[in-house]
Amino acid sequence: MESWPDPSWLPQVLQVLGSRSGSGLSIPGLLLELLALVGSVAYGCSRAFPFSAWGEALFLLLQTMALGFLIQHYGGHTGRGLLLVASYWLLLGALLSPQAPPWVVTFLQGANLPIIILSRLLQAATNYRQGHTGQLSGLSTLLLFGGALARVFTSLQETGDPLLALTFASSAACNGLLLGQLLYYRGGHSPKPPPRPKMD
C-alpha cells in the first residue's frame, strides 16, 4: 500500500490562509503535535519500516509546520514562525543522525501517546474556554479522525507494531472529541460561563 500526502491538514491550512487568522487554534497543542510527528518520522526511519507505514507522518509534519508558521505570521510574529520551522527541522535532523541514541527515538515514539492526547485536549480546552471552535476546520478534523481509524489496522498489517496501533487509536479517540465539539458549538451551543467571584 503506497503512502500519499495526507490531505487532512490541508483544509485547515486553507482555512487559515482564507481567513488570514489562526484564532481559536491552540499553539501549545500544535507544538506538541509537531513533536509527536517528528518522533513518528524518526521512529519509522530508524526501524526501517516501509515508507507507507510512516510517510503519512512526514506529510502531516510538513503541513503542520506550514500551519504553525501561518498562525505566527498572521499574528504578527513572522520571525517566531520561521524560528519554529527551523527548530523542528533541526530536531528532525538530529534524530535521523547516526549519532542519535536509539533509545531517544524509541522514547519519543512511546511518548507519542500522551503527547497526542495532551495536544488534542489542549485544543478541546481552548474550544471550551472560548465557547466556539474558531478557525478549527471541520473537514480536517473529520479526515484526521477517519485516517487515524484506518491507520490502526494498516499499521498492524504493515509493521505488527502494537505501539503504532495504540498511538493511532488514541489519536482517533481524541479527534472524535474535537469532532463532537465542532458539531456541538456549530449547533449554537456554548459552555456555561464560569461563576463570577462574589464581591464583598
Side-chain angles (χ1 to χ4, degrees), residues 64-89:
T64 308
M65 275 189 184
L67 183 60
F69 171 77
L70 289 172
I71 291 171
Q72 293 297 329
H73 174 66
Y74 290 135
H77 305 289
T78 303
R80 193 184 298 172
L82 291 171
L83 181 62
L84 181 148
V85 171
S87 298
Y88 276 97
W89 274 119

Side-chain angles (χ1 to χ4, degrees), residues 37 40-41 51 54-63 89 92:
L37 290 167
S40 290
V41 171
F51 184 71
W54 59 269
E56 177 182 7
L58 177 61
F59 294 118
L60 279 172
L61 174 66
L62 296 173
Q63 293 172 49
W89 274 119
L92 181 60

